[in-house]
Amino acid sequence: MAMIIHNCLKEERKILNCARASNEMEIGSVQNTAAGMPDKQKELDAKVRAVKSSVTDVEQDIKTLEDMQDEYDFKCKTLQNREHESNSMSQEEYKKEQLNLQHMFLSLDCKRKEVVNKIVQLLQITEHTQAALINDELVEWKHRQQTACIGGPPNACLDRLQNWFTIVAESLQQVRQQLKKLEELEQKFTYDPDPITKNKQVLQDRTHKLFQQLIQSSFVVERQPCMPTHPQRPLVLKTGVQFTVKLRLLVKLQELNYNLKVKVLFDKDVTEKNSVKGFRKFNILGTNTKVMNMEESTNGSLAAEFRHLQLKEQKNTGSRTNEGPLIVTEELHSLSFETQLCQPGLVIDLETTSLPIVVISNVSQLPSGWASILWFNMLSTDPKNLSFFLNPPCAKWSKLSDVLSWQFSSVTKRGLNADQLSMLGEKLLGPTNGGSQDGLIPWTRFCKENLNDKNFPFWLWIEGILELIKKHLLCLWNDGCIMGFISKERERALLKDQSPGTFLLRFSESSKEGAITFTWVEESQNEPQFHSVEPYTKKELSAVTFPDIIRNYKVMAAENIPENPLRFLYPNIPKDNAFGKYYSRPKEAPEPMDLDGPKGNGYIKTELISVSEVHPSRLQSPENLLPMSPEEFDEVSRMVGPAEIDTVMCTHIQL
């Protein structure tokens, strides 16, 4: 019997050694993956792998301890049986066996102490590693998520963080099983002082606390609340419009699949006592519970996505008052998510909260609501600070300038350069402080006070320009054709030394809805002459594309034939080289009075062109009075027609 047990133990050791070798190969693979990590993450990755390796070592030590205890128990029982048999062994042999048992007991006691100490050290390593995961990596990810929400660089993928969380969680689960195994060994054989008896409760409590902390921290909002109709404006929700939000558990354990039911709540911690006067209340419509699973996510993460939630405002029974200190777009609300993990001997409540959201009832409130989201996520990291706008802090221009640039780079391929930001800084801080990175901008100056002598605030002006770019100027903005934000003084300084006909494109400073204009330089006997066309708004740009406006733009003085003064895009790019690829495709010139078009509708085809009338005094040299070349005359005749050419005397005329 003893030989059979001995052979079984040898086979088990072989199996354990194979498993350990396999684990080392897996760790080597992880090391190769870590090659592309930054140094800080490499260090953390090494700590996580050290935790996993230590758990494997303890597992093997416990198996060895179990073998030693089984062998000791077997020898004890064998000696007892032989002791009762007559003439089975001499007194000397008996003492020798007892001495051997004492040595085995001491070895067993030493091994128990070793295993307990290794688990203590393992939990210390785990605690330090876990603290780095939760207090550093997870906090940094949440900050990057805030930045990404307001247009900043895309947030890093959660997969690496999930991998680390999962390895630590699996290790703690193994430690829990190892402690149970030690408890079983203690029940089979104990003594005084038994290191297992002395330390098991402390180790169990510490393991439970670490696992609880890890699980609770791993419950995150992976994708913040957002209306699918406005994917680039998350955290602004309109009543009656569906929105989506996605939760994720960074601990990916198979036994948790379909075992966590998440419930969503609105303004869970808001009460009459801690909310301001006039604070609105809302109900959540739609399915407000969801079971987390690994099947819905493309990457197999343990997640729950709510896709069909809506908000509906609760109607007050009494007369409604709007006398609160906050306007509706400054009211911050939040969504909370709750679930519970239940395992044998383990119940853990999980909760997480979205970033603050703004609830609007009309789409016209979206720009102001988005301004609030920008300001909060630029200056605060506490998602539960819903009273932020009772006393909103000022923003440093160094921070705000980045956020403003992100508003452009997030919807186009180009952010704002230093010159453009300098002009905006002057608008907010004044010409003397416009270049100061430490200049402070109050919330009211950004979003509520009228801009200088205009009847609209700074942010609504920027918002109008963003809309104009997205709908009518995207390609030109992406190509860098639009200088955009430049003062008139700076504009003239750039153009004065350029060739006649050099022009640049800038946004109007007097249009709330967003408008664009161009200014060109002409030579003069004394000093350069500068001319700016009346700004084009979305109304004009909806009828004619801006490249076609530039291509066909004409100026004329009385008794003079129209001419296009635009020759070079600043600094010296020929106009057609800059805009040619965006011109409308040229059409074949119709025969005069050709009334039978493709559709036979009986109408003469027409086009829209822009013509500006100027005073004859603008014509400074005889060259400007010369007739047009045949090619230019053909172009004008094609667009205008001989019968109407004398009547083209106003701006934005339809022929």
Side-chain angles (χ1 to χ4, degrees):
M1 179 64 72
M3 291 301 297
I4 293 174
I5 294 174
H6 179 71
N7 291 332
C8 288
L9 291 175
K10 285 180 65 177
E11 289 299 318
E12 286 180 354
R13 284 197 182 94
K14 286 182 182 179
I15 293 171
L16 278 173
N17 290 333
C18 289
R20 187 172 187 180
S22 173
N23 185 59
E24 287 174 353
M25 290 178 62
E26 182 181 336
I27 290 175
S29 172
V30 174
Q31 283 178 323
N32 293 332
T33 305
M37 297 181 189
D39 290 341
K40 182 182 176 183
Q41 292 192 337
K42 283 182 180 179
E43 183 181 344
L44 183 55
D45 189 70
K47 288 182 179 179
V48 171
R49 288 187 284 107
V51 169
K52 185 174 182 179
S53 178
S54 297
V55 170
T56 304
D57 289 343
V58 170
E59 188 74 28
Q60 186 163 353
D61 284 339
I62 290 178
K63 189 63 184 173
T64 302
L65 176 63
E66 184 179 16
D67 292 344
M68 291 175 66
Q69 182 166 318
D70 287 344
E71 186 178 2
Y72 176 77
D73 182 63
F74 175 76
K75 290 273 181 99
C76 284
K77 289 180 178 177
T78 301
L79 184 60
Q80 289 175 1
N81 291 334
R82 292 183 65 187
E83 189 179 359
H84 291 92
E85 293 177 7
S86 57
N87 302 323
S88 61
M89 60 190 309
S90 66
Q91 190 70 20
E92 186 177 340
E93 288 178 327
Y94 179 76
K95 287 182 179 181
K96 185 177 179 181
E97 287 296 327
Q98 276 193 324
L99 185 61
N100 187 34
L101 284 176
Q102 286 179 355
H103 284 304
M104 291 182 69
F105 171 77
L106 292 175
S107 299
L108 182 63
D109 179 60
C110 186
K111 193 65 179 178
R112 282 194 173 188
K113 289 177 181 177
E114 179 187 341
V115 169
V116 168
N117 287 334
K118 280 192 173 183
I119 293 178
V120 170
Q121 293 173 9
L122 167 59
L123 292 179
Q124 287 176 344
I125 296 173
T126 305
E127 187 172 4
H128 292 151
T129 304
Q130 186 168 303
L133 283 174
I134 296 172
N135 301 330
D136 296 335
E137 287 297 317
L138 186 59
V139 168
E140 288 179 15
W141 178 84
K142 288 182 177 180
H143 181 66
R144 291 196 302 269
Q145 185 188 51
Q146 274 192 282
T147 300
C149 278
I150 56 175
N155 197 8
C157 179
L158 271 173
D159 290 351
R160 181 176 292 167
L161 202 55
Q162 174 184 279
N163 184 49
W164 288 335
F165 266 80
T166 302
I167 289 175
V168 175
E170 288 173 340
S171 299
L172 288 171
Q173 288 284 64
Q174 282 183 267
V175 172
R176 290 179 64 211
Q177 296 303 317
Q178 290 168 352
L179 291 174
K180 285 183 180 179
K181 186 64 179 178
L182 289 181
E183 195 169 15
E184 291 175 7
L185 294 177
E186 177 208 22
Q187 289 172 356
K188 290 180 180 178
F189 174 68
T190 188
Y191 51 90
D192 189 28
D194 189 341
I196 296 177
T197 306
K198 181 181 177 182
N199 295 281
K200 68 176 181 180
Q201 192 60 52
V202 175
L203 295 177
Q204 288 171 352
D205 292 345
R206 192 174 181 188
T207 305
H208 173 86
K209 183 179 179 181
L210 286 173
F211 186 75
Q212 178 179 358
Q213 184 186 34
L214 186 71
I215 286 286
Q216 289 175 333
S217 300
S218 74
F219 190 41
V220 298
V221 180
E222 180 180 9
R223 191 164 61 243
Q224 294 291 332
C226 181
M227 297 185 293
T229 52
H230 295 82
Q232 289 157 338
R233 295 286 169 94
L235 302 169
V236 181
L237 307 179
K238 182 179 177 294
T239 52
V241 175
Q242 288 186 352
F243 65 91
T244 65
V245 61
K246 186 177 180 182
L247 286 301
R248 183 165 172 177
L249 196 72
L250 298 179
V251 172
K252 184 182 175 182
L253 299 178
Q254 190 62 41
E255 61 264 28
L256 300 181
N257 196 21
Y258 288 102
N259 277 332
L260 297 175
K261 186 176 183 180
V262 181
K263 182 179 181 180
V264 55
L265 303 99
F266 192 83
D267 281 345
K268 176 194 170 193
D269 298 322
V270 175
T271 63
E272 293 289 342
K273 291 183 179 180
N274 64 14
S275 62
V276 299
K277 184 178 181 182
F279 194 79
R280 297 169 300 161
K281 298 179 180 179
F282 297 88
N283 294 325
I284 296 179
L285 304 182
T287 305
N288 68 340
T289 58
K290 189 90 174 179
V291 177
M292 302 191 83
N293 64 84
M294 299 179 186
E295 280 66 43
E296 289 188 30
S297 296
T298 54
N299 57 3
S301 60
L302 189 58
E305 184 173 5
F306 294 86
R307 295 190 180 93
H308 307 292
L309 298 177
Q310 293 183 41
L311 297 177
K312 182 178 181 180
E313 186 174 357
Q314 296 179 14
K315 299 300 181 182
N316 293 328
T317 53
S319 60
R320 180 173 176 177
T321 175
N322 292 322
E323 297 177 357
L326 300 176
I327 59 176
V328 294
T329 53
E330 292 176 330
E331 268 187 20
L332 298 181
H333 302 267
S334 70
L335 290 168
S336 298
F337 305 90
E338 296 179 345
T339 187
Q340 191 176 70
L341 183 149
C342 296
Q343 288 186 338
L346 189 66
V347 177
I348 301 175
D349 292 321
L350 310 181
E351 180 179 346
T352 191
T353 306
S354 72
L355 290 171
I357 60 177
V358 170
V359 182
I360 60 175
S361 56
N362 192 296
V363 73
S364 64
Q365 298 169 322
L366 183 60
S368 296
W370 181 242
S372 297
I373 295 301
L374 294 179
W375 207 259
F376 177 90
N377 288 287
M378 175 175 56
L379 300 174
S380 177
T381 56
D382 180 9
K384 296 190 176 182
N385 183 15
L386 303 184
S387 59
F388 175 82
F389 282 104
L390 286 177
N391 186 24
C394 295
K396 278 189 177 182
W397 174 240
S398 57
K399 277 191 173 183
L400 182 57
S401 59
D402 285 341
V403 172
L404 287 174
S405 183
W406 295 340
Q407 302 318 295
F408 289 81
S409 61
S410 63
V411 296
T412 72
K413 295 179 181 178
R414 183 181 291 268
L416 300 179
N417 61 34
D419 290 335
Q420 292 167 330
L421 289 170
S422 177
M423 184 268 195
L424 296 179
E426 289 182 8
K427 276 194 166 295
L428 287 169
L429 295 166
T432 57
N433 298 319
S436 171
Q437 293 296 301
D438 292 328
L440 296 177
I441 296 99
W443 162 244
T444 51
R445 176 68 175 160
F446 176 72
C447 189
K448 302 176 83 171
E449 296 174 355
N450 286 343
L451 185 62
N452 300 331
D453 57 342
K454 308 300 187 294
N455 61 351
F456 50 84
F458 174 86
W459 170 248
L460 292 187
W461 174 61
I462 294 291
E463 178 76 8
I465 290 171
L466 278 168
E467 285 299 306
L468 193 74
I469 291 174
K470 286 190 289 185
K471 293 180 179 178
H472 302 289
L473 304 170
L474 188 58
C475 292
L476 298 185
W477 177 264
N478 287 340
D479 282 354
C481 296
I482 301 174
M483 192 164 290
F485 299 104
I486 181 172
S487 66
K488 293 179 181 178
E489 294 76 13
R490 175 68 176 157
E491 175 185 68
R492 297 192 172 199
L494 293 177
L495 291 174
K496 68 178 182 178
D497 296 325
Q498 301 300 318
S499 303
T502 301
F503 65 99
L504 55 79
L505 313 179
R506 65 175 175 85
F507 297 119
S508 168
E509 298 178 46
S510 58
S511 174
K512 176 183 176 181
E513 294 184 350
I516 190 169
T517 183
F518 46 81
T519 299
W520 71 94
V521 63
E522 288 186 347
E523 62 181 348
S524 172
Q525 294 177 348
N526 299 320
E527 58 182 18
Q529 296 277 328
F530 305 97
H531 302 279
S532 297
V533 73
E534 183 179 349
Y536 295 87
T537 64
K538 61 183 179 182
K539 180 180 179 182
E540 290 83 18
L541 297 178
S542 297
V544 186
T545 66
F546 199 47
D548 281 347
I549 289 174
I550 293 172
R551 173 195 188 188
N552 299 323
Y553 178 74
K554 309 293 180 184
V555 295
M556 62 187 303
E559 306 296 332
N560 190 49
I561 297 175
E563 64 175 5
N564 191 328
L566 309 178
R567 298 178 184 176
F568 304 101
L569 178 66
Y570 180 87
N572 55 6
I573 306 172
K575 175 185 65 178
D576 291 341
N577 289 357
F579 303 101
K581 60 183 175 181
Y582 301 119
Y583 293 158
S584 297
R585 297 174 65 182
K587 303 172 184 175
E588 294 183 7
E591 293 294 326
M593 299 303 292
D594 181 7
L595 302 182
D596 296 323
K599 297 183 180 179
N601 54 17
Y603 290 105
I604 299 175
K605 295 180 181 179
T606 64
E607 288 188 52
L608 292 173
I609 66 170
S610 296
V611 180
S612 295
E613 181 181 0
V614 298
H615 194 272
S617 62
R618 187 185 69 80
L619 305 172
Q620 300 292 332
S621 62
E623 288 79 5
N624 287 334
L625 296 173
L626 292 176
M628 304 174 76
S629 68
E631 291 80 7
E632 292 174 321
F633 182 78
D634 288 343
E635 174 70 12
V636 174
S637 298
R638 182 182 69 79
M639 293 185 295
V640 179
E644 292 85 5
I645 197 165
D646 292 333
T647 65
V648 183
M649 299 295 293
C650 60
T651 304
H652 309 319
I653 189 168
Q654 181 173 1
L655 302 179

